[in-house]
Amino acid sequence: MNQTNTPSGPAGNQIIWIEPEPCILCYACVRECPAMAIEVKANVDHVTILPNRCIACGSCYTICPTRAVKIASDLNKVQEAIAAQRITCAIIDPCISAEFPDITDYRNFVGMIRSLGFKGVYDLSFAVDLTAQAHATLFADFKGKYRISSKCPAVVSFIEKHHPQLTDNLVPIFSPASVMAGIIRELEPENPFIVLINPCLASRLESGSNDDNHRIDAQIPFQELRDWFTSHHISENSVEFSDFDPPNGRKGALFPLSSGFMQAADQFEDLLMSNFLSTDGRQDMVESINGFATSYEIRKHLDLFYCEGCIMGPGMSAKGNKFSRRTLATDYAAKRFETYVPDVWQSDLEHFKISEPNRQFHPDNQQMVLPDETEIADILKLIGKTGDHDTDRGCLACGYKSCRDFAISVALGLAKADMCHLYGTKNKQEYIKSLRSSNEQLARAQKALQESEKQAREEKQLAQEYSETLTAVLQKIPSGVVIVNEKLRIIQANREFIDILGDEIKAIDEVIPGLKGADLRTLFPAPMLNLFTFVLQNNQDIMHKDISMNNRLLNLSVFPIKKSTILGAVLRDLSLPEVQKEEVIKKVTEVIDKNLEMVQQIGFLLGEGASDTERMLNSIIKYYRSEETK
Ligand code: SF4
Ligand code: SF4
């Protein structure tokens, strides 16, 4: 069974609660709950039971597909009482027949219970006979006030909390289980520990509010009893026959069936003659009480069961078939009836007769104040129920019988708008639409990204090609060329540059190929560096500066390539013969140019003499050029 071994629930003494983690927010429990006791909050990923409103009917427990609903277990308490050798007595609900069809003889079942350590094992049937008789007497003694039976603890709790104005209509008699507890206390005066074994969760609520005489100390559902037998290897074959402790019942074994209670008092629901109405099941219970509350729709005593008979109670194993359980229960009742001894039964009935019905009930008004009409209308509008919609009806998918009831629940904070199927579908469609639009945007962004990646790749390739071309060209230039950044770190230098700077720099080149990243300040003396700094700061060329370095005369030109960021420099070793020739040609060209200027100025005076000088100088140039070509 889906229980914990803690004796009570997590909040106070809650006997039923919902674990957040397994809850998948399917709202099945909300739909089943007759007491609007399950809260659904926005932005919370699980539902919560409101203990004050809960009537412990167990419907949420039965319906929950993920076993998120938990029930507190009394098993430890019972085992401790047995271990402490208290006189422990079990009250067995006649439902056992429907839960344990595998145990063929009820006497074996009683033997199995005793072998768990129970001293007394009592059949609830006798107390059913007693309470049914008392109900029948009250129903017959009609003085204008219709009654509601008090045999079902869930019904009693529903009236106390949700129709407290009807509490006075409840039959003031304890439930059969509580009556049986009183009988056991009379028979076992040594303060027995009384355990109710049945499929009803709500009976724990009742026993909590009983007086000491009718107190039930613990309750064990059938599913848990089955697990207990298994863990102690107790089976029908491992025990001998044993019978219930007296008093024995008559027709009380019919109690688990709807209308079986009144039959125990030989009262049958005759459509023409009977003054009571028997119903079972959640919906019928709610509707019949609502009808009874109006005081004119139903003019009968009500004999109500919350479940469809105890055979369908929350403490029964899951998946049982109602009609096969019904057959098992009637067969068992027939078998028990065979053991009925009229004289003994009659005398027991007289002995334990409920002469003064005096049960006290505990009205605990949990009725909610309805929200105002504007708020209800706003919620109906939000969920799209306006205009032609009849809001007193609904698709029932949310679990409420009308859209209006649902809107009230939302306004009271007990439900969320998205529990509405139509609203949820609409939201989903809008969500899908917005998802589709953002997907399209994403696709466009991805495409743009791919294109820019492609462009970047192409640009990178182009830059690579330029860089390779530049490197190749630089290597072919017969002068030293270096390109540096604003920190004077070398970006590119050609072979000639390295050769001009000498052996020491060639050694560095072996470690740092091409001197890439090398600091120019470690390669050049300060006067040369000053030229670079000047160009960097002023973005002006410095051309053809003759500089001495390591006893060699060098010619340096520095110029900006990218403003204040990248500089280029050309270095020539003037001691090399080819450079010398070139320099001479350059110098002679300059002399010719200057002479020509002079010639033009004195041309008039010197006439043909100037042409001779030009011819002479040109021949010198020609000579050097021819030498260079060779
Ligand atoms: S036990 Fe019953 S009343 Fe309590 S929350 Fe579950 S369904 Fe609602
Ligand atoms: S039935 Fe209730 S508790 Fe269980 S998963 Fe659904 S919403 Fe959660």
Coordinates of all heavy atoms in Angstrom, one line a residue, residues 480 482 497 524 527-529 531-532 542-547 554-558 568-572 574:
G480 N 66.8 45.5 -46.7 CA 66.1 44.9 -45.5 C 64.8 45.7 -45.3 O 64.7 46.9 -45.4
V482 N 61.4 45.8 -42.7 CA 60.7 45.3 -41.4 C 59.4 46.1 -41.3 O 59.3 47.2 -41.6 CB 61.7 45.5 -40.2 CG1 61.9 47.0 -39.9 CG2 61.1 44.8 -39.0
F497 N 66.8 41.9 -44.2 CA 66.9 42.7 -42.9 C 67.7 41.9 -41.9 O 68.6 42.5 -41.2 CB 65.4 42.9 -42.5 CG 65.3 43.6 -41.1 CD1 65.4 45.0 -41.1 CD2 65.1 42.9 -40.0 CE1 65.3 45.7 -39.9 CE2 64.9 43.6 -38.8 CZ 65.0 44.9 -38.7
F524 N 67.8 47.2 -32.2 CA 68.3 48.5 -32.8 C 68.9 49.4 -31.6 O 68.3 49.4 -30.5 CB 67.2 49.3 -33.4 CG 66.9 48.8 -34.9 CD1 65.9 49.5 -35.6 CD2 67.7 47.8 -35.5 CE1 65.6 49.1 -36.9 CE2 67.4 47.4 -36.8 CZ 66.4 48.0 -37.5
P527 N 69.3 55.6 -31.3 CA 69.1 56.6 -32.3 C 68.2 56.1 -33.4 O 67.3 56.9 -33.9 CB 70.5 56.9 -32.9 CG 71.5 56.5 -31.8 CD 70.8 55.4 -31.1
M528 N 68.3 54.8 -33.8 CA 67.4 54.3 -34.8 C 66.0 54.2 -34.3 O 65.0 54.5 -35.0 CB 68.0 52.9 -35.3 CG 69.2 53.0 -36.1 SD 69.9 51.4 -36.4 CE 68.9 50.9 -37.8
L529 N 65.9 53.7 -33.0 CA 64.6 53.6 -32.5 C 63.8 54.9 -32.4 O 62.6 55.0 -32.6 CB 64.6 53.0 -31.1 CG 65.0 51.5 -31.0 CD1 65.3 51.1 -29.6 CD2 63.9 50.7 -31.7
L531 N 63.8 57.2 -34.5 CA 63.2 57.5 -35.8 C 61.8 56.8 -35.8 O 60.8 57.4 -36.3 CB 64.1 57.0 -36.9 CG 65.5 57.6 -37.0 CD1 66.2 57.1 -38.2 CD2 65.4 59.2 -37.2
F532 N 61.8 55.6 -35.4 CA 60.5 54.9 -35.4 C 59.5 55.6 -34.5 O 58.3 55.7 -34.9 CB 60.7 53.4 -34.9 CG 61.3 52.5 -35.9 CD1 62.7 52.5 -36.1 CD2 60.5 51.7 -36.7 CE1 63.3 51.6 -37.1 CE2 61.1 50.9 -37.7 CZ 62.4 50.8 -37.9
I542 N 60.3 59.4 -42.7 CA 61.7 59.8 -42.6 C 62.4 59.0 -43.6 O 62.5 57.8 -43.5 CB 62.3 59.5 -41.2 CG1 61.6 60.4 -40.1 CG2 63.8 59.8 -41.1 CD1 62.0 60.2 -38.7
M543 N 63.0 59.6 -44.6 CA 63.6 58.9 -45.7 C 65.1 59.1 -45.8 O 65.6 60.1 -45.6 CB 62.9 59.4 -47.0 CG 61.4 59.3 -47.1 SD 60.8 57.6 -46.7 CE 61.2 56.8 -48.3
H544 N 65.7 58.0 -46.1 CA 67.2 57.9 -46.4 C 68.0 58.6 -45.3 O 68.8 59.5 -45.6 CB 67.4 58.6 -47.7 CG 66.6 58.0 -48.9 ND1 66.7 56.6 -49.2 CD2 65.7 58.5 -49.7 CE1 65.9 56.4 -50.2 NE2 65.2 57.5 -50.5
K545 N 67.9 58.1 -44.1 CA 68.8 58.6 -43.1 C 70.0 57.7 -43.0 O 69.9 56.5 -42.9 CB 68.0 58.6 -41.7 CG 67.2 59.7 -41.4 CD 68.0 60.9 -40.9 CE 67.1 62.2 -40.8 NZ 67.9 63.4 -40.7
D546 N 71.2 58.3 -43.1 CA 72.4 57.5 -43.0 C 72.7 57.3 -41.5 O 72.8 58.3 -40.7 CB 73.5 58.2 -43.7 CG 73.3 58.1 -45.2 OD1 72.5 57.3 -45.6 OD2 73.9 58.9 -45.9
I547 N 72.9 56.1 -41.1 CA 73.1 55.8 -39.6 C 74.3 54.8 -39.5 O 74.4 53.9 -40.3 CB 71.9 55.3 -39.0 CG1 70.8 56.4 -38.9 CG2 72.1 54.7 -37.6 CD1 69.5 55.9 -38.6
L554 N 74.6 52.5 -42.5 CA 73.3 52.0 -42.9 C 72.5 53.2 -43.4 O 72.6 54.3 -42.9 CB 72.6 51.3 -41.8 CG 73.3 50.1 -41.2 CD1 72.5 49.5 -40.1 CD2 73.6 49.0 -42.3
N555 N 71.6 52.9 -44.3 CA 70.6 53.9 -44.7 C 69.2 53.4 -44.4 O 68.8 52.3 -44.7 CB 70.8 54.1 -46.2 CG 69.8 55.2 -46.7 OD1 68.7 54.9 -47.0 ND2 70.3 56.4 -46.8
L556 N 68.5 54.3 -43.6 CA 67.2 53.8 -43.1 C 66.1 54.8 -43.5 O 66.2 56.0 -43.4 CB 67.3 53.8 -41.5 CG 66.0 53.4 -40.8 CD1 65.6 51.9 -41.1 CD2 66.2 53.5 -39.3
S557 N 65.0 54.2 -44.0 CA 63.8 55.0 -44.3 C 62.7 54.4 -43.4 O 62.5 53.1 -43.4 CB 63.4 54.9 -45.8 OG 64.4 55.4 -46.5
V558 N 61.9 55.2 -42.7 CA 60.8 54.7 -41.9 C 59.6 55.5 -42.3 O 59.6 56.7 -42.5 CB 61.1 55.0 -40.4 CG1 60.0 54.3 -39.5 CG2 62.4 54.4 -40.0
G568 N 56.5 50.8 -41.4 CA 57.4 50.0 -42.3 C 58.8 50.7 -42.3 O 58.9 51.9 -42.1
A569 N 59.8 49.9 -42.5 CA 61.1 50.5 -42.6 C 61.9 49.7 -43.6 O 61.8 48.5 -43.8 CB 61.8 50.4 -41.2
V570 N 62.8 50.5 -44.4 CA 63.7 49.9 -45.4 C 65.1 50.2 -44.9 O 65.4 51.4 -44.7 CB 63.4 50.4 -46.8 CG1 64.4 49.8 -47.8 CG2 62.0 50.1 -47.2
L571 N 65.9 49.2 -44.8 CA 67.3 49.3 -44.3 C 68.3 48.9 -45.4 O 68.1 47.8 -46.0 CB 67.4 48.5 -43.1 CG 68.6 48.6 -42.2 CD1 68.7 50.0 -41.6 CD2 68.6 47.6 -41.1
R572 N 69.2 49.7 -45.7 CA 70.2 49.3 -46.7 C 71.6 49.5 -46.1 O 71.9 50.4 -45.4 CB 70.1 50.2 -47.9 CG 68.8 49.9 -48.7 CD 68.2 51.0 -49.4 NE 69.1 51.8 -50.1 CZ 69.3 51.8 -51.5 NH1 68.7 51.0 -52.2 NH2 70.1 52.6 -52.0
L574 N 75.1 50.5 -46.7 CA 75.8 51.3 -47.7 C 77.2 50.8 -48.0 O 77.8 51.2 -49.0 CB 75.8 52.8 -47.3 CG 74.5 53.5 -47.2 CD1 74.6 54.9 -46.7 CD2 73.8 53.5 -48.5

